[in-house]
Amino acid sequence: GNYHESIVGGTTCGELPFFSETERTSRVVAEQECVAWLLTPGKWDELQEEEPEVAEELLRVGLKLSAERMNAIVNHVLITAS
């Protein structure tokens, strides 16, 4: 099956495979013109070195968003399976 999710402006996507250094299993398609920022592993290392408090907060926010998405997916599956 397929799972689709709309990501609103100002949030993140792809943080779980990025921070866990695992393979990506999805892709992003923009429905309209937008600006997307890419954090590379090299820039992440640089941020951790130069601004460790900012890097820690970014990681914390990324994990929180991932947890919220996982809860939404699990709830969707449970509702659909019922």
Side-chain angles (χ1 to χ4, degrees):
N2 292 313
Y3 179 79
H4 300 272
E5 177 185 6
S6 293
I7 307 289
V8 297
T11 191
T12 64
C13 61
E15 67 279 356
L16 189 57
F18 180 83
F19 290 123
S20 65
E21 298 178 350
T22 57
E23 187 175 336
R24 291 185 183 136
T25 58
S26 60
R27 64 189 178 105
V28 175
V29 177
E31 294 179 339
Q32 61 188 20
E33 190 171 323
C34 65
V35 174
W37 293 353
L38 171 66
L39 179 61
T40 65
K43 287 294 185 182
W44 170 243
D45 292 341
E46 188 178 309
L47 182 63
Q48 291 179 92
E49 188 72 29
E50 295 177 6
E51 300 283 347
E53 291 174 358
V54 173
E56 183 179 333
E57 183 65 18
L58 182 60
L59 177 59
R60 185 175 293 122
V61 168
L63 291 173
K64 184 177 186 298
L65 291 170
S66 291
E68 289 173 359
R69 283 198 197 107
M70 287 298 120
N71 286 336
I73 291 168
V74 168
N75 289 335
H76 174 76
V77 169
L78 290 174
I79 290 169
T80 304
S82 296

